[in-house]
Amino acid sequence: MISVDAFDLKILSALQDDGRLTNQQLADIAGLSASQCSRRRMRLEEDKVISGYHADLASEALGFNVIAFIHITLATHSPDNAKRFRALVNRVGDIQEAYSLTGDADYLLKAVLRDLKSLSDIVNNVLMPHQSVAHVRSSIVLDRLKESSRLPLKELSR
């Protein structure tokens, strides 16, 4: 774990709100000089605390109207089978997130799709026929109550 102080937390919090802040704007928020802020930001990037910058796209505005969570149970629990499944997941662009789990399912996938036919295609033509997969169960999101990629930085200041 990387050690961060109150100035770093101000910088990180501000960047979580707006990754496009100029160095001067960020320095003003953090209460530092522009050069001090720049050095801290560069260190946070080099230490991979800041892993990148990106634009948050509105999926529905682009016609991606279906979010589905897909539970996967593997056919066999071997390193080779898990490797084959991971390779499959990394090839499928519709899958945004994938997690290895404890419990009933081995994996949980989050897919963002244009429509229900796209969900049917990914389940029936990609996941089900794959030799590593034994069981697939999907759930369609009816309403998104909260979405955030923000980390609870206030927990670090305790």
Side-chain angles (χ1 to χ4, degrees):
M1 188 168 120
I2 303 295
S3 176
V4 293
D5 64 14
F7 290 113
D8 293 332
L9 290 174
K10 286 179 186 178
I11 291 168
L12 294 171
S13 180
L15 287 173
Q16 281 194 129
D17 289 336
D18 184 357
R20 295 175 58 173
L21 290 172
T22 66
N23 195 54
Q24 185 58 59
Q25 291 169 320
L26 199 54
D28 292 343
I29 291 168
L32 296 166
S33 70
S35 61
Q36 288 175 315
C37 186
S38 178
R39 283 192 298 274
R40 284 175 176 269
R41 183 181 202 167
M42 285 177 17
R43 180 184 53 81
L44 292 166
E45 290 169 352
E46 289 168 3
D47 289 344
K48 305 289 187 230
V49 174
I50 299 172
S51 60
Y53 300 90
H54 67 276
D56 287 326
L57 305 181
S59 57
E60 290 171 352
L62 294 168
F64 295 94
N65 297 308
V66 174
I67 299 171
F69 287 95
I70 305 168
H71 299 259
I72 303 291
T73 304
L74 294 183
T76 60
H77 292 90
S78 69
D80 286 341
N81 202 38
K83 186 176 180 181
R84 282 191 295 273
F85 180 73
R86 287 172 188 255
L88 170 68
V89 166
N90 285 311
R91 285 194 308 270
V92 179
D94 295 330
I95 298 172
Q96 276 192 327
E97 300 174 34
Y99 302 94
S100 176
L101 303 174
T102 61
D104 295 336
D106 295 313
Y107 294 93
L108 176 65
L109 313 178
K110 177 186 173 191
V112 177
L113 308 144
R114 294 184 70 72
D115 50 33
L116 291 177
K117 178 169 181 351
S118 299
L119 175 60
S120 176
D121 287 343
I122 196 171
V123 168
N124 294 315
N125 301 326
V126 177
L127 296 170
M128 290 289 287
H130 197 268
Q131 75 249 16
S132 65
V133 175
H135 183 72
V136 176
R137 190 186 76 207
S138 62
S139 300
I140 298 168
V141 172
L142 298 176
D143 191 15
R144 187 181 322 187
L145 304 179
K146 181 179 180 177
E147 180 180 36
S148 175
S149 60
R150 292 182 57 86
L151 294 177
L153 296 177
K154 66 182 178 191
E155 299 295 320
L156 295 176
S157 60
R158 291 182 184 179

